[in-house]
Amino acid sequence: MSLSRRTSSSAPASRRTSSVGVSRAATVLAGAGALSVLLLSGTAFAHVSVQPQGEAAKGGYATVNFKVPNERDTASTVKLEVNLPTEHPLASVLPQPVPGWTVQVTKSKLAKPLEVHGNKITEAVSKITWTAAGGKIGPGQFQQFPVSLGQLPENADQVVFKALQTYDNKEVVRWIEVPQEGKEAALPAPVLELTAAAEGHHGGTGDAKNEKNEKTEQTEQTDKSDKTAKDAHHDKGSTAGSESKAASGDDSDGTARVLAVIGIVVGAAGVAFGVLAGRRRVA
């Protein structure tokens, strides 16, 4: 009896030990899973990126923001370097001032000069560097650095910018990996996606629009000329009518004067005839 009791009492203890072990293992696995999710999400989203204000059309100009999040809990970002592509040089690069930061634009000679609006460009901006001057990007914060870019390439779907992020503890994170389809980059470079070229930017569409505008202007000028000619003809007709009326009035006045003179002559002749007739009777 005592042996059976000991056996039965020891069985629940082993089961309790086993359940505790399973619970601890589940807790460790859950923690590891949560940590992996945080690490993966940090890699996927918390990186330097470039975003256009509106659209970035092929062959056009655009204002973009380089967005820099701070990924460290005990350090602040104090420097950002953005390298511009050499395969698609950009002739116009204008950074917007950011309070608390200085900006330096570095230019390089081009292997092949660019033709922009009839002007030959022999050098282009190759790097933009922002350095903290009283400002910084602290933990849990981000900063945007606006830049006007152009002329964007016409024969590409995207522009890749390689960036270096420096922290105040001297750590440098190199966001330079070019994203590839089907492969996730650990430190992806900022990529600017380009949209279709705006209508009428180049080619026949713009020529047709200009031709249409010219025809419209010619039609308007023709209408104005016709209206001016009609107004002149109307004014001439009015003047001729006035002159005709004036001439008609002058003729009427002349006829009236002639009739008046004839009346006076006839009256005078009648008076003379009456006087003569009276004298004859008296004689």
Side-chain angles (χ1 to χ4, degrees), residues 89 109-115 120-123:
K109 291 287 184 180
L110 297 176
K112 182 179 179 180
L114 296 175
E115 282 286 338
K120 183 176 290 186
I121 306 298
T122 59
E123 63 179 11

Side-chain angles (χ1 to χ4, degrees), residues 5-165:
R5 287 177 181 174
R6 283 197 300 274
T7 302
S8 60
S9 62
S10 62
S14 62
R15 286 196 294 271
R16 287 196 298 272
T17 302
S18 176
S19 63
V20 170
V22 171
S23 177
R24 288 177 179 174
T27 302
V28 172
L29 290 175
L35 180 60
S36 64
V37 169
L38 289 175
L39 291 176
L40 290 175
S41 64
T43 301
F45 299 105
H47 59 268
V48 176
S49 61
V50 58
Q51 302 166 343
Q53 295 182 12
E55 289 188 350
K58 297 179 181 180
Y61 292 78
T63 299
V64 302
N65 289 323
F66 288 96
K67 184 178 180 181
V68 184
N70 191 86
E71 295 185 307
R72 302 294 180 259
D73 294 332
T74 57
S76 298
T77 298
V78 293
K79 188 177 181 181
L80 173 68
E81 299 173 69
V82 174
N83 293 278
L84 279 68
T86 56
E87 65 274 18
H88 299 296
L90 302 174
S92 176
V93 178
L94 301 173
Q96 180 176 327
V98 178
W101 295 78
T102 61
V103 60
Q104 180 180 358
V105 176
T106 304
K107 293 184 177 181
S108 300
K109 291 287 184 180
L110 297 176
K112 182 179 179 180
L114 296 175
E115 282 286 338
V116 180
H117 303 303
N119 298 322
K120 183 176 290 186
I121 306 298
T122 59
E123 63 179 11
V125 176
S126 58
K127 183 171 67 173
I128 309 174
T129 304
W130 288 272
T131 306
K136 62 181 180 178
I137 308 173
Q141 298 178 343
F142 77 92
Q143 178 66 54
Q144 295 192 113
F145 298 90
V147 181
S148 174
L149 301 174
Q151 187 173 10
L152 298 173
E154 298 179 351
N155 56 350
D157 295 325
Q158 62 183 19
V159 180
V160 179
F161 303 90
K162 296 182 179 181
L164 277 66
Q165 182 179 9

